[in-house]
Amino acid sequence: AQSVSQHNHHVILSEAASLELGCNYSYGGTVNLFWYVQYPGQHLQLLLKYFSGDPLVKGIKGFEAEFIKSKFSFNLRKPSVQWSDTAEYFCAVEEGGSYIPTFGRGTSLIVHP
Amino acid sequence: EAGVAQSPRYKIIEKRQSVAFWCNPISGHATLYWYQQILGQGPKLLIQFQNNGVVDDSQLPKDRFSAERLKGVDSTLKIQPAKLEDSAVYLCASSPKGGNRPQHFGDGTRLSIL
C-alpha cells in the first residue's frame, strides 16, 4: 500500500527564517502530489499541487514545492516565513489515475514573531 | 461559492451508541470523500463517492461504519455501534469530476466516545 512520510512532526522557527518540510512517498509509478495547510481553527485548504510538467510548483502565500522523481520526494519550501504561517501542513499523494489520496501525518509549524 | 457544509460540529456519545454525520458538498461537485482524522495523524480516507456510486471503500470498517449518497448530492456517514477508538475528527471533502481537481474540505465533526 502507498505510504507518505513527513519527517518533521514539529517545527519551530522565528520570523524570516527559511522553511523546508520533507515529504516522501513509496509508490513508484505516476503520482499526483499535494500540500494542504490547516490554519488554527480553520479547515484544510490546498496550498499547491503537482500533476505534470515543471517539477517546481509555486503555490499561494509564497510557498513552493519541488518534485524529485528519483528521490520520491515533494518537499515544501518558503524562503522567509511569517507568524501567519503557523499551521499544520499535510502532504498527500495520489497514485496516477486513482483519485484516491493518501495523506502524511502532518507537520506542525510554529513561527515566533 | 459556498463551502462544504458538515454537521454537527461536535458530538459526544458513549461507546456502543450510534451516531450519524451529514455532509453537503459544493454545488456541482461529483466526487465526495469521507475521512477519519485521529489526533496526531493525517486524514485517512474511509470512502469515496462519484455521484451516488462508491469508488473506494477499502478502508471503511464495514462491520460498524456505513455511508450513503443516495441522490448524488449530500451524504451521511454512520457508526453503529461506536467504539472508543472511533474518537476522531470526521472530515468531508468534495471535488469536481475530472482532472485538476483539488479537494475542498469541510470543517469536520469532532467525535468523542466516552
Side-chain angles (χ1 to χ4, degrees), chain A residues 85-99:
Chain A
D85 294 325
T86 293
E88 191 91 14
Y89 292 82
F90 294 91
C91 179
V93 179
E94 289 178 359
E95 296 176 18
S98 75
Y99 304 147

Side-chain angles (χ1 to χ4, degrees), chain A residues 11-70:
Chain A
V11 174
I12 301 174
L13 296 173
S14 298
E15 276 195 315
S18 64
L19 171 71
E20 181 161 2
L21 301 182
C23 173
N24 286 88
Y25 60 92
S26 60
Y27 182 66
T30 303
V31 291
N32 297 326
L33 302 163
F34 307 83
W35 276 97
Y36 286 88
V37 61
Q38 187 169 24
Y39 298 105
Q42 298 186 26
H43 56 262
L44 275 161
Q45 56 188 286
L46 183 71
L47 201 53
L48 49 78
K49 63 185 186 291
Y50 172 82
F51 283 13
S52 63
D54 188 344
L56 184 62
V57 179
K58 294 194 183 301
I60 60 171
K61 303 186 179 184
F63 285 90
E64 65 179 30
E66 185 175 13
F67 170 46
I68 302 179
K69 189 174 181 179
S70 61

Side-chain angles (χ1 to χ4, degrees), chain B residues 23-73:
Chain B
C23 173
N24 192 20
I26 292 173
S27 178
H29 280 194
T31 309
L32 185 147
Y33 309 78
W34 282 105
Y35 292 88
Q36 180 192 60
Q37 187 175 14
I38 292 172
L39 187 65
Q41 298 182 22
K44 183 183 85 169
L45 182 68
L46 293 175
I47 189 167
Q48 179 182 349
F49 292 94
Q50 181 85 347
N51 297 311
N52 60 350
V54 175
V55 174
D56 184 86
D57 64 357
S58 57
Q59 298 191 93
L60 186 74
K62 297 180 187 63
D63 58 333
R64 298 184 300 105
F65 286 64
S66 64
E68 59 184 15
R69 194 185 184 198
L70 293 176
K71 296 182 180 178
V73 180

Side-chain angles (χ1 to χ4, degrees), chain A residues 77-89:
Chain A
R77 299 194 293 249
K78 185 171 184 178
S80 176
V81 294
Q82 299 173 314
W83 174 78
S84 58
D85 294 325
T86 293
E88 191 91 14
Y89 292 82

Side-chain angles (χ1 to χ4, degrees), chain B residues 47-105:
Chain B
I47 189 167
Q48 179 182 349
F49 292 94
Q50 181 85 347
N51 297 311
N52 60 350
V54 175
V55 174
D56 184 86
D57 64 357
S58 57
Q59 298 191 93
L60 186 74
K62 297 180 187 63
D63 58 333
R64 298 184 300 105
F65 286 64
S66 64
E68 59 184 15
R69 194 185 184 198
L70 293 176
K71 296 182 180 178
V73 180
D74 57 349
S75 174
T76 56
L77 175 70
K78 296 179 183 178
I79 308 174
Q80 181 180 7
K83 291 185 175 181
L84 291 175
E85 60 260 35
D86 298 332
S87 293
V89 176
Y90 290 84
L91 297 168
C92 180
S94 69
S95 67
K97 186 180 177 182
N100 267 344
R101 337 136 266 95
Q103 296 177 44
H104 299 259
F105 285 84

